[in-house]
Amino acid sequence: MPTLILSDGSRHTIPEGRPIAESLRIIAAKSGAVAVKTGDAMLDLYTPAPVEGEFTLVTKESPESLELLRHSVSHIMADAVMRLFPKVKLAIGPAIENGFYYDFDMEQKLIPEDLARIEEEMRRIVKENAIFRRFEMPRAEALARVRAEGQTYKAELIEGLEGDTVSFYESGKFTDVCRGPHLARAGFAGAFKLLNIAGAYWRGDEKNAMLQRIYGTAFWNETALKAHLAQVEEAKKRDHRILGKQLELFHLTDVVGPGLVLWMPKGSIVRMELENWIRRELLSRGYDVVYTPHIGRLGMYRTSGHFPYYQDSQYPPLIDRETMKQLADEKCSCGELCNRMEKGEVDGYLLKPMNCPHHIQIYKASQHSYRDLPVRLAEFGTVYRFEQSGELGGMVRVRGFTQDDAHLFCTPEQLEGEIASCVELTKLVLETLGLTDVVVRVSLRGPESGKYVGSAENWARAEENLRHVVKNIGMPYTEVVGEAAFYGPKIDFIVRDCIGRQWQLGTVQVDYNLPERFGLEYIGADNAPHQPVMVHRAPFGSLERFVGILIEHYAGAFPLWLAPEQVRVLPISEGQAEYAQGVLKGLRAAGLRAEIAPANEKIGAKIRQATMDKVPYMVVVGAREAEQGQVALRHRTQGDLGAMKPEELVERLKREIAEKK
RNA sequence: GCCAGCGUGGCUCAACGGUAGAGCGCCGCUUUCGUAAAGCGGAUGUUGUGGGUUCAAAUCCCACCGCUGGCUCCA
C-alpha cells in the first residue's frame, strides 16, 4: 500500500485507488490541521494535492493558519454584504497583519451600525456551514462569467492574472474569484469582529473610484479575539497624542495651524537631551555644526530640483509685496503665476522643504581639496512640507519638523565607508533607546521617470553602493522599488507606533545628482577638479516623529536621562519645609531636574501624583530624614529604596544618567 | 485632497428639540499627615465657527474649520 510521509516524520498508509488529496484531508482533519503545506504553498483541504511530495500540516497554532482563517472570514463577510446589499460590486478582500478587509463598490453608504447587521448575517452563514469548494475554469470563460455578473473589478483582476486558468471558490450561493487557500467549511470560522469602515481607492490610485472598505479581525476562539481587542485598547493608552496631552509634552492647535507642533517645556527637555546627545556624538565623529535660514530663493530650489519635482508637498512660494502688486496690476492669474515661477520669470522664496540646498551652498563657499574630504555639515534643520490634510496626525505626521540632518561630501572612494558609519550611528541611536522592532528598507527608484532627477548610471551606482553596505550591517532588510528620494536611493529605518502603523525614522541617502546639478567640486590628488558624492542622513529622521514614537515606546515613562522631571522632593509635613527646600536646591545645583511637591497633601497623595506624572525618582523627607541629614529614595515602579545621604543620591542618579538606562 | 465618523468647562464624558450636568483638575478654607487619592466650600461653558428650520437648537439641515480612522504621498 502507498505510504505518505509527512514532514513531522510520521508515515501514513493510504488505501489503494483513493485520491491522495482525500487521504491528506483525513489525516489533517484528524490531527486538527486546517490546511497542508508543501514547500511554500499552502493547500486547503479540498484542493487536489500533488501526487508526490512532502507535506506539512498547518495547525491552528501556526501563524499562517490565522492568515487562512482571516482570508476566509473576509469572504464570509463579502457574502454577508452581498446578501444585505445585492447590488454591491466586489473588489479585493485579503488577510492583513492583524485581520482582514474587503473593498466594496456600492451605492449605499455604510454606517457603523451596518457592521452589527453584517456580523449577524455572517453568523448565519457560519451556521449554514457550507464547504469552500474550489474550482477552476479557463480564463476567457471566467472573464465572461464575472462580466455577466456585473463584477467589473473582478474582471479587471482576471485580466491582470497570469496563466490560462482562473480559480474560484464557492461556498453556498457565494462565489468569488480567489487564489485561496480557504477553510474547509464556513463553520470553522471561529471568532470574528468587524472593526471599522474606511474609504479606499481602487488599486490605491486616487484617479480610481473610491470604494468602501470594511476592516475586521478573526481568531480561532473567543478568548484569543478578546485578548487581542484588549491588547489593542491597552496599546491605545500609549498613544503619544494622549500621553503628550496628559504629560504636557507638546501641543497642537489650529490657531497656529494643522501639523505645526508647539513643544511644551517638558517635551522640550526630551528633545533637548536627544539633541545634546547626538550633537556630541557628531562632533566626536568629525562633523561640523552649521546653521542655515528657514527660507531660500526659488532659483536655488530650481537648481536642486525641489521646485518643481517636489512642488506638490511644499507651501506655496513667498513673493515680495512689490512683485505681487505688479502682478495684480497685470491681472496675472494664479495659474499663470505658477507658470512664470516655474520658468524663473518671477522670483520668490520657498520655506525650505529640505536642508540640502543650504548645506550645499556652505560647501560651495570655500574651495575643497581631496585632503579636506569628507566634509560633514550637520544641523538640526527645520523644514516645512505641505502634507495633505488627511495625512496629518499627532507628532508623527506634521507640516513643520526638525531633522537631525547632515550632508556629507566625499570622494567616490570614501562613499561606502561614510554610508557604513552613518548606518552605525543610526543603529547606536536605536539600540541606546531600546527601539528593537525596527525594519531596514532599501528604497530604490521606481519606473516613473518623471519623479526622479539624474542619469540612469548615477542611480545604478548609488543603488550598488547602498546594497553593498547594507549587506554587511547584520540586519535583515527588504528592497522596495519606488520609495527612493527624488535625487537618490536610501536606506530607511522603520518602526511601528502603538497601533502598529509603520513610520520611517532614520534614513541614509546616497546622492550623485545634487553635486552635479550644483556643480560641486574638489581638487583631487591629480590637481584636477572632481565631483564629490553626497550622503544625506538623519539618524532620528525628524525630532517630532522620533519623540512621538519614543513617547509610545516608553509609554510616557522616560528613562532618567530623558525624563523632563527627574526627581520630586516630597516633604511629609510643614515641619520639613526648610530641609526639603535645601534638598531641592542641592539636587538642582548638581544639575538634576528636580521639583518639590506642593504642600497641604498627605504623603500618599504626593506619591500618587508623582507616580502618575511618571517622575522616575521621589525623595521623601520627614522628621527622621531631616534630623539625620538624609533622604528616603523611592522609584516610580520599584517603590521604597531606603534612606541615604543627598550626596549618595546625586552620585547614584548621575551614574544612571550617564548610562542612559 | 478623497471616503467615513466625531467636535459640550483645563481633561474624560453625560444631556440627543423644552432651564447645559458629573467626575477629575483648578481656586479658597480647615487639616500638617510616613510611601498610590484628607474634609468642606467655590468658580469655570456664546456647546468648533457661520448661516438656516422652529414658539424653542448642544440636539434637526447647510457650509466652513479642526480632529480621528483609512486611501495616496513622505521624516
Side-chain angles (χ1 to χ4, degrees):
Chain A
M1 280 209 277
T3 303
L4 240 167
I5 302 171
L6 295 183
S7 55
D8 62 1
S10 63
R11 304 165 77 83
H12 301 265
T13 51
I14 298 179
E16 266 172 359
R18 306 289 294 270
I20 189 169
E22 190 179 314
S23 302
L24 262 177
R25 171 150 55 98
I26 292 164
I27 294 163
K30 258 190 206 161
S31 59
V34 292
V36 296
K37 228 172 109 176
T38 169
D40 278 340
M42 219 182 346
L43 302 174
D44 47 61
L45 300 185
Y46 283 87
T47 299
V51 178
E52 283 176 13
E54 197 172 289
F55 298 93
T56 320
L57 297 177
V58 178
T59 66
K60 288 183 179 179
E61 280 70 48
S62 73
E64 54 225 308
S65 77
L66 271 180
E67 201 181 311
L68 178 130
L69 167 71
R70 287 165 180 167
H71 186 190
S72 296
V73 174
S74 105
H75 272 232
I76 292 170
M77 176 173 81
D79 187 356
V81 169
M82 280 200 98
R83 289 185 189 194
L84 294 168
F85 311 96
K87 280 189 190 156
V88 67
K89 286 188 193 173
L90 303 175
I92 54 165
I96 52 171
E97 192 170 356
N98 282 309
F100 60 86
Y101 67 79
Y102 212 113
D103 285 346
F104 306 101
D105 187 359
M106 53 198 279
E107 284 287 309
Q108 169 135 14
K109 299 286 175 206
L110 288 168
I111 53 169
E113 286 76 63
D114 290 328
L115 295 184
R117 283 173 66 207
I118 297 168
E119 273 183 18
E120 205 176 303
E121 195 62 43
M122 287 169 72
R123 271 182 224 109
R124 209 163 293 145
I125 293 166
V126 170
K127 224 176 219 169
E128 289 167 15
N129 197 17
I131 291 174
F132 274 92
R133 198 171 63 78
R134 182 191 174 96
F135 62 90
E136 293 180 358
M137 61 172 73
R139 235 179 121 87
E141 208 179 304
L143 209 49
R145 179 185 167 135
V146 297
R147 280 197 179 131
E149 289 166 346
Q151 291 293 351
T152 50
Y153 297 99
K154 293 294 176 190
E156 218 181 304
L157 284 175
I158 293 173
E159 280 165 358
L161 290 178
E162 313 254 312
D164 303 329
T165 60
V166 176
S167 63
F168 285 79
Y169 276 81
E170 181 187 63
S171 53
K173 287 188 193 125
F174 179 74
T175 310
D176 197 358
V177 181
C178 184
R179 158 165 8 112
H182 276 289
L183 294 173
R185 311 186 73 114
F188 299 159
F192 52 82
K193 185 166 173 57
L194 303 187
L195 299 170
N196 51 338
I197 302 165
Y201 297 107
W202 167 237
R203 300 206 146 149
D205 188 334
E206 60 185 328
K207 289 184 209 80
N208 291 336
M210 174 62 74
L211 308 174
Q212 300 191 73
R213 175 174 295 181
I214 301 177
Y215 283 93
T217 192
F219 287 85
W220 289 115
N221 58 61
E222 228 22 84
T223 318
L225 174 64
K226 285 221 175 91
H228 174 255
L229 295 175
Q231 195 195 323
V232 169
E233 279 309 305
E234 205 46 46
K236 278 187 191 159
K237 291 186 193 152
R238 300 171 77 105
D239 191 318
H240 75 279
R241 288 164 298 196
I242 293 170
L243 289 171
K245 199 176 274 180
Q246 270 171 18
L247 302 173
E248 301 181 305
L249 298 169
F250 63 92
H251 182 60
L252 287 155
T253 166
D254 61 327
V255 175
V256 174
L260 300 171
V261 176
L262 299 169
W263 292 78
M264 296 176 80
K266 288 175 184 165
S268 301
I269 292 279
V270 178
R271 170 171 168 171
M272 182 189 77
E273 285 292 350
L274 291 170
E275 285 183 0
N276 290 347
W277 168 46
I278 210 70
R279 192 182 284 118
R280 278 195 299 274
E281 290 291 338
L282 293 181
L283 289 173
S284 76
R285 284 170 162 75
Y287 281 72
D288 296 311
V289 171
V290 298
Y291 295 98
T292 66
H294 283 213
I295 62 175
R297 278 172 91 163
L298 219 41
M300 176 169 70
Y301 293 106
R302 219 175 279 118
T303 306
S304 68
H306 286 90
F307 197 84
Y309 281 96
Y310 216 66
Q311 197 173 190
D312 289 347
S313 49
Q314 284 159 189
Y315 278 90
L318 310 160
I319 301 170
D320 66 76
R321 275 207 184 77
E322 275 305 302
T323 314
M324 197 121 65
K325 196 157 167 281
Q326 202 183 319
L327 289 165
D329 290 345
E330 291 170 28
K331 303 228 172 355
C332 174
S333 73
C334 290
E336 197 186 328
L337 173 62
C338 288
N339 281 334
R340 288 171 67 173
M341 282 194 297
E342 263 182 50
K343 283 190 213 145
E345 293 169 11
V346 175
D347 200 7
Y349 288 81
L350 214 52
L351 261 173
K352 67 177 171 187
M354 288 189 192
N355 299 304
C356 29
H358 288 83
H359 290 180
I360 285 172
Q361 296 309 311
I362 293 180
Y363 178 87
K364 280 190 84 161
S366 36
Q367 269 204 338
H368 296 278
S369 148
Y370 72 100
R371 295 179 211 270
D372 311 332
L373 267 40
V375 168
R376 308 183 185 91
L377 304 177
E379 175 182 18
F380 292 104
T382 304
V383 297
Y384 296 89
R385 299 186 187 173
F386 195 80
E387 301 293 352
Q388 296 188 62
S389 58
E391 282 305 325
L392 302 173
M395 302 251 278
V396 293
R397 193 60 190 276
V398 294
R399 284 185 174 159
F401 57 94
T402 304
Q403 298 177 308
D404 59 325
D405 210 356
H407 295 92
L408 322 192
F409 303 82
C410 64
T411 68
E413 294 71 38
Q414 291 166 332
L415 177 64
E416 289 190 8
E418 289 302 308
I419 300 171
S421 71
C422 292
V423 169
E424 278 309 315
L425 181 61
T426 309
K427 278 175 73 180
L428 172 76
V429 165
L430 298 173
E431 278 162 18
T432 302
L433 296 162
L435 291 163
T436 49
D437 185 12
V438 177
V439 177
V440 181
R441 181 178 72 190
V442 179
S443 300
L444 307 171
R445 183 166 70 153
E448 316 95 305
S449 55
K451 270 173 68 180
Y452 308 99
V453 297
S455 67
E457 300 82 75
N458 279 351
W459 277 85
R461 263 156 82 198
E463 293 185 358
E464 197 40 49
N465 295 136
L466 281 183
R467 276 208 190 89
H468 207 237
V469 172
V470 88
K471 270 181 195 151
N472 294 320
I473 63 172
M475 284 174 87
Y477 67 96
T478 52
E479 290 191 2
V480 181
V481 172
E483 289 291 322
F486 75 82
Y487 46 76
K490 50 187 186 152
I491 303 173
D492 294 325
F493 294 79
I494 295 159
V495 300
R496 286 163 182 277
D497 67 12
C498 66
I499 50 177
R501 289 179 297 200
Q502 298 197 325
W503 298 99
Q504 180 187 320
L505 291 181
T507 181
V508 181
Q509 317 179 344
V510 176
D511 180 6
Y512 286 96
N513 289 316
L514 292 186
E516 191 170 308
R517 295 175 76 98
F518 279 100
L520 301 188
E521 284 184 353
Y522 65 89
I523 306 300
D526 57 359
N527 197 29
H530 295 272
Q531 198 174 87
V533 194
M534 272 176 80
V535 178
H536 309 234
R537 43 99 285 170
F540 292 135
S542 96
L543 285 151
E544 284 74 7
R545 181 177 289 177
F546 195 87
V547 170
I549 294 291
L550 217 49
I551 291 168
E552 299 186 359
H553 173 63
Y554 290 122
F558 291 102
L560 190 61
W561 72 286
L562 290 174
E565 183 182 345
Q566 295 170 312
V567 197
R568 188 173 298 175
V569 180
L570 314 180
I572 299 277
S573 74
E574 253 171 30
Q576 298 84 51
E578 204 180 314
Y579 179 67
Q581 284 297 338
V583 171
L584 176 70
K585 260 188 204 150
L587 292 169
R588 285 184 173 168
L592 291 162
R593 293 185 288 269
E595 300 293 336
I596 191 158
N600 202 16
E601 273 301 346
K602 302 216 294 190
I603 191 65
K606 290 177 184 174
I607 288 170
R608 178 167 186 270
Q609 193 55 52
T611 309
M612 289 194 312
D613 292 343
K614 302 187 193 282
V615 180
Y617 286 103
M618 293 158 240
V619 297
V620 177
V621 292
R624 216 158 46 223
E625 287 76 18
E627 200 174 302
Q628 294 172 8
Q630 289 191 318
V631 295
L633 186 62
R634 183 187 165 93
H635 186 263
R636 70 182 154 205
T637 57
Q638 294 157 24
D640 196 348
L641 298 174
M644 63 189 69
K645 294 273 176 207
E647 307 84 74
E648 272 177 75
L649 170 66
V650 167
E651 200 191 320
R652 175 179 179 141
L653 299 191
K654 285 201 154 176
R655 203 180 317 126
E656 188 175 330
I657 287 167
E659 286 168 355
K660 293 194 166 52
K661 280 203 286 215

